[in-house]
Each structure stands twice: as structure tokens, then as C-alpha cells.
Amino acid sequence: MTQAVTLALASSGLFLLAGLVGGVLKYHGIMTRPGHRAHPYIDIAHRAALMYSFTALVMAALLKYSPYSATLQLWITAVPLFFFATAIARYFQLGIQGREKNQFKQRNFITTWGMALLIVGEVGGVAAIVWGFFRSQVLGGV
């Protein structure tokens, strides 16, 4: 197993665990908050962590057929996983602090350049992984 696959699988497990903990926090919010609803960002963190856990599994499966060098595989895996993790952490932070219901209402570094970097990192890394799979398995190593 390559380091990239190991990283993706380990991240999948950690994201799954974060999603389960998020479910506990969501339940706590439902039981204790007015209106019996969790803070919106706890809800988002819970769902995002669960979805990213499965995304990391798909990445690991596709990486098994990657034609790229081990170093390139590690980079195109680590970058999106980093942004997935920071997004989950930010959602939990906003939810636990309970101050914000929309982090984009004010423009700042995170909501402008941070989001641009996140988009390029997530889409670019996953696109490179998918392209590597197609190149080696669908196009026959072209």
C-alpha cells in the first residue's frame, strides 16, 4: 500500500470518527437548544465529516490504480485532505462558539482567498486522482 492510500484511509477513519462525535454534539444541541435544533454549523460539520470520510475512501480506491510517482500521489492526496480537515474543524469551531450562522456574511481572508485556495486544492487534487485512474484504467495507460 502506498503512503497516499494509507493517508487517505487514515483520514477516512478520522473523518468518520469526527462525524460520529459531531452526531453526539448535534444530539446535545437538539436536546438543549431552543427549538430543539443543533447549531447550524454543528449540523454542517456532522454531515461534512461523514461525507468527507467516504470521499477519502473513494480517493484511496482510485489511488490504487494511479500511474503517478509516490511523491506526486502523496501531494495530490494530502492537499484535498488538508482542506477537508480544515473545513470540518472550522465548522466545529463556529458551531461550538455559537456566534456565527453564516461565516460568509463578512468578507475576509478566509472567505475570499481561503475559499479560492480550498477550491483549487480540493478540486485540483481530486481531479488529478480521477484523471490518473482514467489514464491508467480507462484509456489504457495513455
Side-chain angles (χ1 to χ4, degrees):
M1 187 172 354
T2 66
Q3 288 181 315
V5 171
T6 301
L7 176 62
L9 290 173
S11 297
S12 176
L14 291 173
F15 295 156
L16 179 59
L17 184 59
L20 295 173
V21 170
V24 173
L25 292 174
K26 183 175 176 176
Y27 171 74
H28 179 266
I30 290 168
M31 297 306 290
T32 60
R33 287 175 49 97
H36 299 284
R37 295 188 59 111
H39 188 279
Y41 276 108
I42 294 296
D43 191 38
I44 291 168
H46 167 68
R47 285 183 279 134
L50 294 174
M51 287 190 293
Y52 285 147
S53 73
F54 287 97
T55 303
L57 279 179
V58 172
M59 290 168 60
L62 294 172
L63 282 162
K64 290 180 181 179
Y65 303 97
S66 178
Y68 306 132
S69 70
T71 302
L72 183 56
Q73 285 183 42
L74 194 55
W75 275 105
I76 63 176
T77 303
V79 170
L81 291 174
F82 168 78
F83 282 112
F84 297 163
T86 57
I88 293 166
R90 179 70 174 153
Y91 299 147
F92 275 124
Q93 177 191 23
L94 291 170
I96 290 168
Q97 290 174 345
R99 295 184 315 201
E100 300 250 0
K101 292 195 177 177
N102 183 349
Q103 69 176 321
F104 294 99
K105 68 182 174 187
Q106 293 181 2
R107 293 188 64 121
N108 56 42
F109 179 82
I110 292 172
T111 63
T112 54
W113 291 105
M115 286 304 299
L117 290 171
L118 179 140
I119 291 165
V120 170
E122 286 184 359
V123 174
V126 173
I129 291 169
V130 171
W131 172 248
F133 173 83
F134 270 90
R135 190 173 138 205
S136 70
Q137 300 301 306
V138 177
L139 300 176
V142 174

